[in-house]
Tab-separated table of all heavy atoms in Angstrom:
chain	number	residue	atom	x	y	z
V	521	LEU	N	101.862	97.009	98.572
V	521	LEU	CA	102.445	97.992	97.655
V	521	LEU	C	103.780	97.484	97.148
V	521	LEU	O	104.599	96.968	97.929
V	521	LEU	CB	102.653	99.324	98.380
V	521	LEU	CG	103.357	100.437	97.591
V	521	LEU	CD1	102.477	100.932	96.446
V	521	LEU	CD2	103.734	101.597	98.522
V	522	CYS	N	104.016	97.620	95.856
V	522	CYS	CA	105.348	97.380	95.283
V	522	CYS	C	106.150	98.667	95.395
V	522	CYS	O	105.698	99.728	94.937
V	522	CYS	CB	105.240	96.986	93.815
V	522	CYS	SG	104.350	95.460	93.509
V	523	SER	N	107.336	98.606	95.974
V	523	SER	CA	108.114	99.833	96.160
V	523	SER	C	108.512	100.467	94.835
V	523	SER	O	108.781	101.678	94.780
V	523	SER	CB	109.360	99.560	97.012
V	523	SER	OG	110.356	98.867	96.289
V	524	VAL	N	108.531	99.675	93.746
V	524	VAL	CA	108.880	100.253	92.449
V	524	VAL	C	107.862	101.302	92.008
V	524	VAL	O	108.154	102.115	91.124
V	524	VAL	CB	109.010	99.173	91.350
V	524	VAL	CG1	110.150	98.226	91.665
V	524	VAL	CG2	107.706	98.423	91.155
V	525	THR	N	106.683	101.290	92.621
V	525	THR	CA	105.669	102.307	92.336
V	525	THR	C	106.165	103.686	92.732
V	525	THR	O	105.743	104.692	92.152
V	525	THR	CB	104.384	101.975	93.121
V	525	THR	OG1	104.027	100.619	92.868
V	525	THR	CG2	103.243	102.888	92.749
V	526	LEU	N	107.057	103.728	93.715
V	526	LEU	CA	107.556	105.004	94.244
V	526	LEU	C	109.078	105.036	94.199
V	526	LEU	O	109.751	105.275	95.194
V	526	LEU	CB	107.063	105.200	95.685
V	526	LEU	CG	105.546	105.290	95.869
V	526	LEU	CD1	105.186	105.310	97.358
V	526	LEU	CD2	104.984	106.525	95.173
V	527	ARG	N	109.633	104.788	93.025
V	527	ARG	CA	111.097	104.744	92.892
V	527	ARG	C	111.756	106.074	93.242
V	527	ARG	O	112.927	106.108	93.616
V	527	ARG	CB	111.475	104.358	91.462
V	527	ARG	CG	111.324	102.875	91.132
V	527	ARG	CD	111.902	102.564	89.755
V	527	ARG	NE	111.925	101.132	89.478
V	527	ARG	CZ	111.172	100.533	88.574
V	527	ARG	NH1	110.314	101.248	87.855
V	527	ARG	NH2	111.263	99.238	88.382
V	528	ALA	N	111.017	107.180	93.097
V	528	ALA	CA	111.621	108.499	93.269
V	528	ALA	C	111.736	108.914	94.731
V	528	ALA	O	112.354	109.941	95.029
V	528	ALA	CB	110.824	109.551	92.493
V	529	VAL	N	111.147	108.147	95.661
V	529	VAL	CA	111.217	108.522	97.074
V	529	VAL	C	112.012	107.472	97.838
V	529	VAL	O	112.242	106.365	97.359
V	529	VAL	CB	109.813	108.699	97.687
V	529	VAL	CG1	109.007	109.716	96.881
V	529	VAL	CG2	109.060	107.376	97.763
V	530	ASP	N	112.413	107.835	99.061
V	530	ASP	CA	113.277	106.931	99.814
V	530	ASP	C	112.482	105.862	100.562
V	530	ASP	O	111.246	105.834	100.534
V	530	ASP	CB	114.186	107.721	100.760
V	530	ASP	CG	113.425	108.477	101.859
V	530	ASP	OD1	112.238	108.168	102.111
V	530	ASP	OD2	114.035	109.374	102.477
V	531	ILE	N	113.218	104.984	101.217
V	531	ILE	CA	112.622	103.845	101.899
V	531	ILE	C	111.598	104.273	102.938
V	531	ILE	O	110.484	103.737	103.005
V	531	ILE	CB	113.729	102.984	102.543
V	531	ILE	CG1	114.479	102.187	101.466
V	531	ILE	CG2	113.173	102.067	103.626
V	531	ILE	CD1	115.720	101.477	101.968
V	532	ASP	N	111.957	105.259	103.756
V	532	ASP	CA	111.042	105.691	104.813
V	532	ASP	C	109.753	106.260	104.230
V	532	ASP	O	108.663	106.023	104.768
V	532	ASP	CB	111.716	106.731	105.706
V	532	ASP	CG	112.784	106.127	106.620
V	532	ASP	OD1	112.706	104.905	106.878
V	532	ASP	OD2	113.674	106.865	107.064
V	533	ALA	N	109.869	106.986	103.126
V	533	ALA	CA	108.677	107.562	102.499
V	533	ALA	C	107.781	106.483	101.913
V	533	ALA	O	106.547	106.591	101.960
V	533	ALA	CB	109.079	108.568	101.419
V	534	VAL	N	108.384	105.433	101.350
V	534	VAL	CA	107.586	104.319	100.843
V	534	VAL	C	106.799	103.684	101.984
V	534	VAL	O	105.592	103.432	101.873
V	534	VAL	CB	108.478	103.260	100.167
V	534	VAL	CG1	107.665	102.013	99.814
V	534	VAL	CG2	109.124	103.829	98.903
V	535	ALA	N	107.473	103.416	103.094
V	535	ALA	CA	106.812	102.780	104.233
V	535	ALA	C	105.723	103.676	104.808
V	535	ALA	O	104.628	103.196	105.150
V	535	ALA	CB	107.845	102.433	105.303
V	536	ARG	N	105.991	104.978	104.903
V	536	ARG	CA	104.975	105.903	105.430
V	536	ARG	C	103.751	105.939	104.534
V	536	ARG	O	102.606	105.951	105.014
V	536	ARG	CB	105.555	107.311	105.570
V	536	ARG	CG	106.505	107.495	106.731
V	536	ARG	CD	106.724	108.975	107.028
V	536	ARG	NE	107.187	109.716	105.862
V	536	ARG	CZ	108.467	109.890	105.541
V	536	ARG	NH1	109.412	109.328	106.293
V	536	ARG	NH2	108.811	110.589	104.481
V	537	THR	N	103.978	105.948	103.227
V	537	THR	CA	102.853	105.999	102.284
V	537	THR	C	102.019	104.727	102.374
V	537	THR	O	100.782	104.784	102.400
V	537	THR	CB	103.370	106.193	100.847
V	537	THR	OG1	104.102	107.419	100.767
V	537	THR	CG2	102.213	106.243	99.857
V	538	ALA	N	102.680	103.578	102.426
V	538	ALA	CA	101.949	102.314	102.525
V	538	ALA	C	101.125	102.255	103.806
V	538	ALA	O	99.969	101.798	103.800
V	538	ALA	CB	102.918	101.141	102.461
V	539	ALA	N	101.702	102.729	104.908
V	539	ALA	CA	100.972	102.725	106.174
V	539	ALA	C	99.795	103.704	106.131
V	539	ALA	O	98.688	103.375	106.589
V	539	ALA	CB	101.918	103.075	107.319
V	540	ALA	N	100.019	104.879	105.575
V	540	ALA	CA	98.948	105.870	105.486
V	540	ALA	C	97.810	105.363	104.614
V	540	ALA	O	96.637	105.747	104.824
V	540	ALA	CB	99.494	107.180	104.931
V	541	ALA	N	98.133	104.520	103.650
V	541	ALA	CA	97.120	103.972	102.755
V	541	ALA	C	96.388	102.777	103.362
V	541	ALA	O	95.482	102.227	102.731
V	541	ALA	CB	97.772	103.559	101.434
V	542	GLY	N	96.790	102.361	104.556
V	542	GLY	CA	96.145	101.230	105.208
V	542	GLY	C	96.494	99.892	104.601
V	542	GLY	O	95.734	98.924	104.726
V	543	LEU	N	97.655	99.822	103.946
V	543	LEU	CA	98.070	98.574	103.321
V	543	LEU	C	98.740	97.665	104.345
V	543	LEU	O	99.114	98.097	105.435
V	543	LEU	CB	99.005	98.867	102.147
V	543	LEU	CG	98.356	99.715	101.035
V	543	LEU	CD1	99.396	100.132	100.002
V	543	LEU	CD2	97.203	98.967	100.385
V	544	ALA	N	98.880	96.404	103.985
V	544	ALA	CA	99.386	95.421	104.947
V	544	ALA	C	100.876	95.178	104.830
V	544	ALA	O	101.504	94.687	105.774
V	544	ALA	CB	98.640	94.095	104.775
V	545	GLY	N	101.460	95.483	103.672
V	545	GLY	CA	102.871	95.186	103.503
V	545	GLY	C	103.433	95.727	102.211
V	545	GLY	O	102.739	96.401	101.437
V	546	ILE	N	104.717	95.412	101.980
V	546	ILE	CA	105.459	95.972	100.844
V	546	ILE	C	106.288	94.879	100.183
V	546	ILE	O	106.927	94.068	100.857
V	546	ILE	CB	106.405	97.100	101.306
V	546	ILE	CG1	105.614	98.227	101.980
V	546	ILE	CG2	107.216	97.651	100.118
V	546	ILE	CD1	106.498	99.272	102.657
V	547	GLU	N	106.267	94.871	98.850
V	547	GLU	CA	107.271	94.134	98.081
V	547	GLU	C	108.371	95.128	97.740
V	547	GLU	O	108.130	96.105	97.027
V	547	GLU	CB	106.673	93.563	96.796
V	547	GLU	CG	107.744	92.910	95.916
V	547	GLU	CD	107.183	92.308	94.636
V	547	GLU	OE1	106.813	91.133	94.661
V	547	GLU	OE2	107.102	93.044	93.622
V	548	TRP	N	109.562	94.872	98.235
V	548	TRP	CA	110.672	95.799	98.034
V	548	TRP	C	111.461	95.423	96.786
V	548	TRP	O	111.937	94.296	96.660
V	548	TRP	CB	111.595	95.800	99.248
V	548	TRP	CG	110.981	96.479	100.441
V	548	TRP	CD1	110.379	95.873	101.512
V	548	TRP	CD2	110.898	97.892	100.667
V	548	TRP	NE1	109.929	96.829	102.401
V	548	TRP	CE2	110.231	98.071	101.913
V	548	TRP	CE3	111.310	99.014	99.950
V	548	TRP	CZ2	109.983	99.339	102.446
V	548	TRP	CZ3	111.061	100.275	100.481
V	548	TRP	CH2	110.403	100.437	101.717
V	549	GLY	N	111.602	96.370	95.861
V	549	GLY	CA	112.349	96.144	94.637
V	549	GLY	C	113.845	96.226	94.884
V	549	GLY	O	114.310	97.041	95.688
V	550	SER	N	114.597	95.388	94.173
V	550	SER	CA	116.046	95.346	94.371
V	550	SER	C	116.794	96.285	93.426
V	550	SER	O	118.024	96.312	93.431
V	550	SER	CB	116.567	93.916	94.184
V	550	SER	OG	116.421	93.492	92.838
V	551	ASP	N	116.053	97.059	92.623
V	551	ASP	CA	116.740	97.948	91.680
V	551	ASP	C	117.108	99.280	92.309
V	551	ASP	O	118.195	99.806	92.072
V	551	ASP	CB	115.888	98.166	90.427
V	551	ASP	CG	114.512	98.738	90.734
V	551	ASP	OD1	114.051	98.621	91.896
V	551	ASP	OD2	113.887	99.301	89.816
V	552	VAL	N	116.214	99.840	93.134
V	552	VAL	CA	116.443	101.156	93.711
V	552	VAL	C	116.529	101.101	95.235
V	552	VAL	O	117.504	101.561	95.832
V	552	VAL	CB	115.328	102.147	93.276
V	552	VAL	CG1	115.456	103.468	94.028
V	552	VAL	CG2	115.384	102.394	91.773
V	553	HIS	N	115.513	100.533	95.858
V	553	HIS	CA	115.412	100.634	97.312
V	553	HIS	C	116.258	99.617	98.070
V	553	HIS	O	116.876	99.961	99.085
V	553	HIS	CB	113.943	100.517	97.736
V	553	HIS	CG	113.099	101.665	97.298
V	553	HIS	ND1	112.135	101.552	96.325
V	553	HIS	CD2	113.102	102.970	97.678
V	553	HIS	CE1	111.553	102.733	96.137
V	553	HIS	NE2	112.128	103.600	96.936
V	554	VAL	N	116.280	98.381	97.629
V	554	VAL	CA	116.993	97.327	98.362
V	554	VAL	C	118.043	96.727	97.441
V	554	VAL	O	117.765	95.838	96.640
V	554	VAL	CB	116.011	96.245	98.858
V	554	VAL	CG1	116.767	95.089	99.500
V	554	VAL	CG2	115.025	96.840	99.851
V	555	HIS	N	119.265	97.236	97.551
V	555	HIS	CA	120.328	96.839	96.631
V	555	HIS	C	121.584	96.351	97.338
V	555	HIS	O	122.519	95.880	96.691
V	555	HIS	CB	120.692	98.003	95.709
V	555	HIS	CG	120.882	99.303	96.449
V	555	HIS	ND1	122.040	99.599	97.119
V	555	HIS	CD2	120.034	100.345	96.645
V	555	HIS	CE1	121.922	100.791	97.694
V	555	HIS	NE2	120.721	101.270	97.429
V	556	ASP	N	121.625	96.462	98.676
V	556	ASP	CA	122.755	95.951	99.436
V	556	ASP	C	122.271	95.642	100.850
V	556	ASP	O	121.102	95.872	101.194
V	556	ASP	CB	123.935	96.931	99.450
V	556	ASP	CG	123.572	98.310	100.005
V	556	ASP	OD1	122.559	98.434	100.733
V	556	ASP	OD2	124.306	99.268	99.717
V	557	ALA	N	123.167	95.115	101.677
V	557	ALA	CA	122.763	94.688	103.016
V	557	ALA	C	122.222	95.839	103.852
V	557	ALA	O	121.239	95.679	104.596
V	557	ALA	CB	123.950	94.024	103.722
V	558	GLY	N	122.853	97.006	103.733
V	558	GLY	CA	122.414	98.157	104.516
V	558	GLY	C	121.009	98.607	104.161
V	558	GLY	O	120.183	98.880	105.051
V	559	SER	N	120.727	98.688	102.853
V	559	SER	CA	119.393	99.119	102.444
V	559	SER	C	118.347	98.055	102.766
V	559	SER	O	117.194	98.375	103.094
V	559	SER	CB	119.367	99.471	100.951
V	559	SER	OG	119.793	98.379	100.157
V	560	ALA	N	118.736	96.776	102.699
V	560	ALA	CA	117.808	95.704	103.052
V	560	ALA	C	117.436	95.785	104.533
V	560	ALA	O	116.254	95.667	104.907
V	560	ALA	CB	118.413	94.346	102.730
V	561	ALA	N	118.436	96.000	105.379
V	561	ALA	CA	118.168	96.138	106.810
V	561	ALA	C	117.320	97.374	107.082
V	561	ALA	O	116.410	97.341	107.927
V	561	ALA	CB	119.484	96.209	107.581
V	562	GLY	N	117.598	98.459	106.358
V	562	GLY	CA	116.821	99.682	106.537
V	562	GLY	C	115.373	99.512	106.116
V	562	GLY	O	114.455	100.005	106.779
V	563	ALA	N	115.166	98.807	105.011
V	563	ALA	CA	113.801	98.578	104.535
V	563	ALA	C	113.033	97.680	105.503
V	563	ALA	O	111.848	97.910	105.777
V	563	ALA	CB	113.825	97.952	103.147
V	564	ARG	N	113.712	96.667	106.023
V	564	ARG	CA	113.064	95.787	106.995
V	564	ARG	C	112.656	96.573	108.238
V	564	ARG	O	111.523	96.458	108.734
V	564	ARG	CB	114.005	94.649	107.378
V	564	ARG	CG	113.414	93.674	108.396
V	564	ARG	CD	114.378	92.540	108.684
V	564	ARG	NE	113.762	91.493	109.490
V	564	ARG	CZ	114.312	90.321	109.753
V	564	ARG	NH1	115.513	90.041	109.252
V	564	ARG	NH2	113.698	89.436	110.499
V	565	SER	N	113.565	97.407	108.732
V	565	SER	CA	113.288	98.195	109.931
V	565	SER	C	112.139	99.181	109.695
V	565	SER	O	111.238	99.301	110.527
V	565	SER	CB	114.555	98.945	110.352
V	565	SER	OG	114.309	99.781	111.461
V	566	ALA	N	112.161	99.860	108.556
V	566	ALA	CA	111.115	100.833	108.254
V	566	ALA	C	109.756	100.160	108.090
V	566	ALA	O	108.720	100.698	108.514
V	566	ALA	CB	111.477	101.608	106.987
């Protein structure tokens, strides 16, 4: 899943949706979800 598909929801919601859909991973966009070190670490953890 590309996280840009769900720009309106937060990182945890993107990860939950991808997992619920049985997907294997996520491409995280740097425009909304991953824009600094904190959000990058959060996206990795989620």
